[in-house]
Amino acid sequence: MNYNIAVIEGDGIGPEIVQASIRVMEAVGVRFGHRFSFQKVLMGGCAYDATGNPLPKETVDTCLASDSVLLGAVGGPKWDTLPGHLRPEAALLGIRKALGLYANLRPAQLFSSLASACPLRADIAEKGIDLIIVRELTGGIYFGERGRRQTKNGEEAYDTEAYSVKEIERIARVAFDLARKRKKSVISIDKANVLESSRLWRETVHATAKEYPDVAVSDMLVDNAAMQLVRNPSQFDVVVTSNMFGDILSDEASMLTGSIGLLSSASLGDGTRGLYEPIHGSAPDIAGKGIANPIATILSGALMLRLSLGLEQEAFAIENAVNSVLAKGLRTADIARTGEDTLTCSQMTDAVIACLA
Ligand code: NAD
């Protein structure tokens, strides 16, 4: 099969880590008989420098015409003083909106060979962590009505959490569909003991669950979930939650796995096309030094193969290769212990490709 992938390298370490992921996908293509055509487009600070716009129309058009999109990271101090709408980060919101991406998936997996990087007690870490948070991305309090007003007690500010049944149903379906590819269980996180929006969330998740009789669903209050993530993270598999709760819990979950350089993410909408990127930023402090960890972006490529292109075996082959490389003790600087030998970004990529064979 032929697949067209739009590629946004972005800024900072973006070009090096994206190149790593492309090389791994090409190697998978050779092994499994697929052809990936990668079309590079500009977005972020580099796009602003070249065109005066951080998200050129041509980039949006190419992404819309692609089977899926791979992104490195955007931003850096060079563009920090630009007005908000010209900043690289504005392009991120713009591309998510243009592609209709309302679900953000963040896997958090603890590789057994990196268990010592987990900040939890060894007896908790050894039970394993392999969960995925499905966060609603385009609704809730981050997009609700907000403002400031004068009251008799002086100035006050407000933000509003609002969710429609339609918004909850579509994110719940993403979680249930994903659960069918994993352990067939979903934990929905809310604050239904206090918030009306959470009560509608809970009702709607359970109503939607009737379409998925093979998937078990349970609820957890967000304060308890924050505690359970450090007390017993192995109980979680697919987690679905609102924009703000997902924002906070996914950072907590990512910390459990050790390094930001290992974690991938996917943003999905109604069709199969998605936007796949590492959770970290453009790391301007190490850009151009060749020492960035490419694993998060390589695993983002694997997620794309599984979730957008339906290539499960191929995705698994990449994840397996990353696991083997880490099990052999090969490390980039961010995950090495003091005194350990380290690999460059391209040496780590070579090692992953060698393990694919
Ligand atoms: P960052 O994630 O870029 O870096 C934080 C720290 O982690 C740095 O010390 C960096 O060197 C290290 N790091 C990150 N990725 C690494 C990797 N793959 N290998 C080894 N070390 C790695 O966060 P920041 O410094 O707060 O942000 C830098 C820029 O990135 C900012 O302009 C920010 O707006 C942008 N950003 C972009 C995205 C995105 O494109 N989705 C996300 C977050 C931040």
Side-chain angles (χ1 to χ4, degrees):
M1 278 283 283
N2 278 359
Y3 300 96
N4 290 316
I5 314 293
V7 175
I8 301 168
E9 292 182 328
D11 308 311
I13 59 170
E16 344 169 8
I17 54 176
V18 163
Q19 190 52 31
S21 185
I22 288 179
R23 284 180 55 211
V24 172
M25 277 197 265
E26 278 173 341
V28 165
V30 170
R31 179 170 155 192
F32 288 89
H34 306 298
R35 206 173 153 269
F36 300 106
S37 304
F38 296 98
Q39 192 169 353
K40 289 188 183 172
V41 283
L42 292 176
M43 190 179 102
C46 58
Y48 173 79
D49 287 349
T51 69
N53 180 354
L55 181 59
K57 183 173 178 303
E58 188 201 337
T59 296
V60 175
D61 292 344
T62 304
C63 291
L64 283 169
S66 71
D67 292 312
S68 213
V69 184
L70 180 68
L71 166 66
V74 299
K78 183 177 174 193
W79 304 282
D80 277 351
T81 51
L82 288 171
H85 68 290
L86 293 177
R87 286 183 56 139
E89 293 78 4
L92 276 176
L93 295 181
I95 194 74
R96 285 178 188 146
K97 188 160 179 239
L99 298 178
L101 306 173
Y102 55 80
N104 185 230
L105 277 58
R106 276 217 205 170
Q109 189 186 1
L110 179 64
F111 291 96
S112 50
S113 50
L114 287 177
S116 60
C118 175
L120 300 181
R121 270 196 342 247
D123 61 312
I124 299 176
E126 77 195 9
K127 287 196 225 150
I129 302 173
D130 183 6
L131 59 93
I132 182 160
I133 295 184
V134 178
R135 167 189 169 194
E136 201 290 327
L137 201 57
T138 55
I141 198 164
Y142 294 173
F143 291 87
E145 195 192 325
R146 74 195 55 190
R148 292 182 184 214
R149 58 195 165 204
Q150 288 302 325
T151 69
K152 63 179 188 315
N153 296 322
E155 187 181 21
E156 75 173 18
Y158 62 96
D159 299 276
T160 317
E161 172 92 345
Y163 269 113
S164 67
V165 168
K166 199 169 156 256
E167 284 173 316
I168 303 166
E169 278 173 352
R170 66 182 189 180
I171 192 76
R173 287 197 184 100
V174 172
F176 288 125
D177 285 335
L178 186 65
R180 280 188 162 158
K181 295 180 188 153
R182 293 175 54 107
K183 293 186 183 159
K184 299 190 165 49
S185 106
V186 171
I187 296 182
S188 170
I189 292 175
D190 61 38
K191 187 72 183 164
N193 53 343
V194 179
L195 301 177
E196 197 54 39
S197 53
S198 276
R199 286 192 270 272
L200 183 66
W201 179 279
R202 196 176 275 210
E203 276 165 42
T204 309
V205 166
H206 283 270
T208 313
K210 296 203 171 84
E211 298 166 22
Y212 298 83
D214 51 326
V215 178
V217 61
S218 58
D219 307 295
M220 195 179 278
L221 294 173
V222 63
D223 40 351
N224 184 29
M227 190 264 279
Q228 295 294 340
L229 269 175
V230 291
R231 186 179 159 270
N232 179 18
S234 66
Q235 71 187 288
F236 295 98
D237 190 58
V238 175
V239 169
V240 63
T241 192
S242 64
N243 203 342
M244 182 166 66
F245 295 161
D247 191 7
I248 298 165
L249 293 175
S250 59
D251 267 26
E252 184 186 354
S254 66
M255 188 56 215
L256 302 180
T257 66
S259 171
I260 198 170
L262 297 171
L263 296 172
S264 56
S265 79
S267 298
L268 302 175
D270 279 332
T272 54
R273 190 195 311 109
L275 177 74
Y276 296 83
E277 58 180 316
I279 70 159
H280 59 72
S282 59
D285 53 335
I286 58 166
K289 295 186 181 161
I291 58 169
N293 186 346
I295 290 179
T297 319
I298 290 172
L299 291 175
S300 300
L303 261 191
M304 177 195 290
L305 299 187
R306 170 176 296 121
L307 299 178
S308 281
L309 309 183
L311 303 175
E312 173 63 35
Q313 231 190 326
E314 292 79 347
F316 185 70
I318 295 178
E319 290 159 354
N320 231 359
V322 167
N323 233 326
S324 310
V325 163
L326 293 174
K328 282 186 193 172
L330 301 175
R331 302 282 184 264
T332 43
D334 58 314
I335 48 174
R337 292 202 201 162
T338 321
E340 260 181 347
D341 287 342
T342 59
L343 300 187
T344 63
C345 181
S346 64
Q347 285 169 334
M348 179 54 99
T349 311
D350 292 341
V352 172
I353 292 171
C355 281
L356 275 174

